[in-house]
Amino acid sequence: MWPHRIWLGVAVLPLVLLVPRDAPVRQVLAERPPGSSRERGGTVPQPVIVSRAAWHANESIVRERAVYTGAVRAVFIHHTGESNDYDCADAPDLVRAVEQSHIEGNGWDDIGYNFLVDRCGTIYEGRAGGVTRSVRGAHTTGFNADSVGIAVLGDYRNGEKVPAAVVRALAEVAAWKLRPGVDPRGKVRLVSTNDKSRYPKGKAAVLNVISGHRDTYETTCPGQALYDALPAIRAAAAALREGRGTGDGRTDTEDAGSTHQSLN
């Protein structure tokens, strides 16, 4: 992981850059398609998502159009690495900083993650074109195809607490985006496309359907606290797919406050 510093007002926020260049983007999507709660025959409603237009993505710096991939077979969880002390009303500023860092700092085509989640559980559209379709992101070296990358804004190293709202939001995205028939608690066989991952190019890896970034790359991401919450996220996603709801999403977590669903 390579920390960069982005100036937001007077604060300096270290952003952890978690992946190398890959595909994509140019397209603004609504927060929720009118009258549409399901994706391509899936069984779980689409959660409310703050669109790129709503968080004021800088579309002028996006380099390429979206590249589409196959139905989602795996979900990779990340954290972005800055402080957890931000006000959730300021989360769009953090998302824009990630966008700028990924495109202008790393030279990628667009923001690497497909979705981002703030500590209050609000979900943000990441790489453009990926809400109603499967877009290849730049989130998990060697495993960006047929997968979704979700980054939690903040630092979830050992000793931090993962808010229940974050567990719920991650479970909602995973349950919704995974293709029908996939068990969020199960395993998936994926073939690496990049020698820089933990698996040489062409080598098959058997991974958890919902995995952490560290499972495929030499990194501490998504932080030990968030990594330890993965079983709870898998269980909550499975409950959603089985129509049982998610419960309160608690592990050794704390509520970070109510979510904010709309932005000016």
Side-chain angles (χ1 to χ4, degrees), residues 30-45:
E31 294 186 15
R32 174 177 284 161
S36 174
S37 64
R38 304 181 187 279
E39 182 197 33
R40 293 184 295 116
T43 59
V44 178

Side-chain angles (χ1 to χ4, degrees), residues 48-50 55 78-80 82-95 115-125 150-156 161-170 173 226 254-263:
V48 173
I49 298 168
V50 177
W55 59 259
H78 305 255
H79 72 173
T80 56
E82 68 275 298
S83 169
N84 293 342
D85 294 335
Y86 60 87
D87 189 306
C88 288
D90 296 327
D93 294 335
L94 300 181
V95 177
F115 300 94
L116 299 96
V117 172
D118 69 22
R119 69 186 187 89
C120 293
T122 300
I123 302 164
Y124 300 83
E125 178 186 7
I150 315 169
V152 181
L153 296 170
D155 184 350
Y156 288 95
K161 291 187 177 181
V162 181
V166 167
V167 173
R168 288 194 295 268
L170 292 172
V173 176
L226 188 51
E254 63 180 0
D255 286 317
S258 58
T259 60
H260 54 285
Q261 305 288 11
S262 61
L263 300 174

Side-chain angles (χ1 to χ4, degrees), residues 158-248:
N158 195 35
E160 297 290 335
K161 291 187 177 181
V162 181
V166 167
V167 173
R168 288 194 295 268
L170 292 172
E172 288 171 358
V173 176
W176 162 60
K177 287 299 283 187
L178 283 167
R179 70 181 186 179
V182 174
D183 183 353
R185 298 161 298 191
K187 302 285 186 179
V188 61
R189 181 181 181 275
L190 300 174
V191 177
S192 173
T193 63
N194 195 315
D195 284 331
K196 292 182 179 180
S197 79
R198 288 185 182 271
Y199 298 87
K201 183 177 179 179
K203 183 174 179 60
V206 177
L207 304 165
N208 288 305
V209 167
I210 299 178
S211 287
H213 186 198
R214 65 171 68 177
D215 292 323
T216 63
Y217 193 72
E218 291 290 346
T219 177
T220 59
C221 176
Q224 192 60 48
L226 188 51
Y227 193 78
D228 289 344
L230 291 180
I233 295 165
R234 295 178 191 122
L240 279 169
R241 293 208 127 198
E242 295 164 4
R244 296 186 284 108
T246 62
D248 65 3

